[in-house]
Amino acid sequence: MGTRRRGEELEGAILQAAAEELRRSGYAGMTMDRVAARAGTNKNAIYRRWPHRAALGIAAYRHLSDVAMPHPDTGTLRGDALEMLRKANETWSSPHGAVLRSLLAAAADDPALLDLMRERSGADTMDRAWLTMLDRAVARGEAPPTAVHPRVAATPMMLLRAEYAMRGTPSVPDETLVEIVDEVFLPLVRGRV
Amino acid sequence: MGTRRRGEELEGAILQAAAEELRRSGYAGMTMDRVAARAGTNKNAIYRRWPHRAALGIAAYRHLSDVAMPHPDTGTLRGDALEMLRKANETWSSPHGAVLRSLLAAAADDPALLDLMRERSGADTMDRAWLTMLDRAVARGEAPPTAVHPRVAATPMMLLRAEYAMRGTPSVPDETLVEIVDEVFLPLVRGRV
DNA sequence: CGTATAAGGTACGCCACGTACCCTAAAGGC
DNA sequence: GCCTTTAGGGTACGTGGCGTACCTTATACG
């Protein structure tokens, strides 16, 4: 009965199994027993590595997730912003994003988990991408230099986020994205002195 | 052994007990057994009225909650907006708001609950308050008529909401509210053609 | 006064988290 | 090449919480 997996190999199998469970049933449905069963091991091996279900959930999400950060360069601020929002909308409405949202919901009342999630969500990288976008717009003369401001840069994604929080539906319609850009983001950039 | 409570009276006691449990431990900690114990009854009486825990949670929240909608009239758009945000921040950071957020988090993966919550959250009334605020600003000549737009009206509250979602902390600092108004809302209003 | 209705009491089935123990395979030093 | 340490496997259990079942008892109402 030769092979008993160890260390690295076993850990990978557990993460893989947990990720599949996450995809299938969301975080709420990700059972420790089922993860163990699917990984062909038992709960001991899991609890020796992660202190509780939530930690495993986050680790698994991280394992299946290496979201590429888009760096659009369409030539106009409007085009860049729309592209960013569309990519984000795509990601969040994918099964992948469902997992993320399910984790976020579960972490909402647990500050420690929220911290972990924030680290992994790549919010900082996202903000920086929007700032360089604004930089380029300034260089083109499309926006006043004062538009390069963290709060301005963060606003569109925050609005998209809030949209998801309110609806909970699988995806935000494209018109909403356009509206965020045309009715909020661009006027905001333009209105800064 | 005289008084056995019935109907209205018992229902009130249950809701009261549930509301207290919500306040003490949030939705996640609101146990059916504890609610029953605190109300001095048993789970039968509860399940005869609400089909599951979530329904009771929402009913209890509604029971303890009649949030007064503020209608500030400070004379300037900036003052009005700040006042609205401050009141909302106060409400959401109160124990009361913690309950609401805890419920929202729990409802994030259950569409039916999300619907119920949306009804009770008074988002529509809130949007209307912001729109009339903008109307008054237009009448004073503080804002262009095009600023009266639902998306514009909803933006500050959405940003506050997203702020809560990201931090999860008890309260958003006042500087953040000022920043939302000065760096986003007012430039946005000003920038609309 | 009697009967339908609803409350009280209690126990249970189920499921999931996390823990405890004991057994066994693998890794590594001597 | 043995032998000890380490880590995985198997399994059972304690705890807690949701929702249900069933019976008993009080109360309202005709």
Side-chain angles (χ1 to χ4, degrees), chain A residues 144-162:
Chain A
T146 50
V148 186
H149 186 283
R151 174 79 39 194
V152 175
T155 293
M157 295 300 288
M158 281 178 120
L159 291 180
L160 182 58
R161 222 185 154 88

Side-chain angles (χ1 to χ4, degrees), chain B:
Chain B
M1 317 143 153
T3 28
R4 176 181 279 188
R5 292 162 305 176
R6 283 208 157 212
E8 201 77 355
E9 188 189 355
L10 181 57
E11 186 153 334
I14 294 172
L15 284 175
Q16 184 71 24
E20 282 164 23
E21 282 297 319
L22 272 183
R23 226 199 283 264
R24 280 180 57 85
S25 344
Y27 177 70
M30 185 196 81
T31 296
M32 296 307 258
D33 298 75
R34 271 217 297 262
V35 170
R38 183 185 285 269
T41 179
N42 62 343
K43 288 192 290 178
N44 278 335
I46 303 181
Y47 279 104
R48 223 171 271 128
R49 288 173 169 78
W50 297 275
H52 40 241
R53 196 170 75 102
L56 173 62
I58 290 172
Y61 173 73
R62 176 176 182 173
H63 181 252
L64 73 72
S65 149
D66 270 314
V67 188
M69 175 72 53
H71 286 286
D73 193 357
T74 63
T76 64
L77 181 58
R78 183 173 190 278
D80 286 357
L82 257 180
E83 186 63 18
M84 286 289 275
L85 283 180
R86 282 184 177 138
K87 280 275 181 269
N89 190 30
E90 228 170 80
T91 301
W92 290 359
S93 65
S94 71
H96 199 91
V99 169
L100 174 59
R101 283 179 291 133
S102 153
L103 274 172
L104 273 175
D109 53 349
D110 188 331
L113 291 192
L114 203 64
D115 282 356
L116 284 179
M117 288 306 295
R118 218 187 353 257
E119 278 177 31
R120 308 295 334 141
S121 77
D124 294 357
T125 327
M126 186 59 84
D127 286 356
R128 242 170 301 143
W130 280 83
L131 280 173
T132 63
M133 226 177 73
L134 283 168
D135 270 333
R136 280 203 308 272
V138 171
R140 282 193 301 261
E142 257 193 294
T146 50
V148 185
H149 186 282
R151 176 74 43 190
V152 175
T155 293
M157 295 299 287
M158 281 178 118
L159 291 181
L160 182 56
R161 223 188 155 87
E163 205 69 38
Y164 268 97
M166 271 199 310
R167 342 186 122 232
T169 58
S171 153
V172 171
D174 196 69
E175 306 96 61
T176 304
L177 307 184
V178 173
E179 206 180 305
I180 289 178
V181 171
D182 288 340
E183 307 289 346
V184 178
F185 183 60
L186 293 181
L188 164 58
V189 166
R190 205 180 300 127
R192 292 182 63 86
V193 192

Side-chain angles (χ1 to χ4, degrees), chain A residues 5-165:
Chain A
R5 293 163 303 177
R6 285 206 155 211
E8 201 79 353
E9 189 188 354
L10 182 56
E11 185 154 333
I14 294 173
L15 283 175
Q16 184 70 25
E20 281 164 25
E21 283 296 319
L22 271 183
R23 227 199 282 264
R24 281 179 56 85
S25 343
Y27 177 70
M30 185 196 82
T31 296
M32 297 305 260
D33 297 76
R34 270 218 297 264
V35 170
R38 181 186 287 269
T41 180
N42 61 346
K43 289 192 289 179
N44 277 335
I46 303 180
Y47 280 104
R48 222 173 270 131
R49 290 173 169 78
W50 298 275
H52 41 241
R53 196 171 73 103
L56 174 61
I58 290 172
Y61 173 73
R62 175 177 182 173
H63 182 251
L64 73 73
S65 148
D66 270 313
V67 189
M69 176 72 54
H71 287 285
D73 194 357
T74 64
T76 65
L77 182 57
R78 181 173 190 275
D80 287 357
L82 257 180
E83 187 62 18
M84 286 288 274
L85 283 179
R86 281 183 177 138
K87 281 275 180 268
N89 190 31
E90 226 170 81
T91 301
W92 290 359
S93 64
S94 72
H96 201 91
V99 169
L100 175 59
R101 284 181 289 132
S102 152
L103 273 173
L104 272 175
D109 53 349
D110 189 329
L113 292 194
L114 203 62
D115 281 356
L116 284 180
M117 289 305 296
R118 214 183 1 253
E119 277 176 32
R120 307 297 331 145
S121 77
D124 293 358
T125 327
M126 187 60 84
D127 286 357
R128 241 169 303 143
W130 280 84
L131 280 173
T132 62
M133 225 177 73
L134 283 168
D135 270 334
R136 280 201 308 270
V138 171
R140 282 192 303 260
E142 257 193 294
T146 50
V148 186
H149 186 283
R151 174 79 39 194
V152 175
T155 293
M157 295 300 288
M158 281 178 120
L159 291 180
L160 182 58
R161 222 185 154 88
E163 205 70 36
Y164 268 97

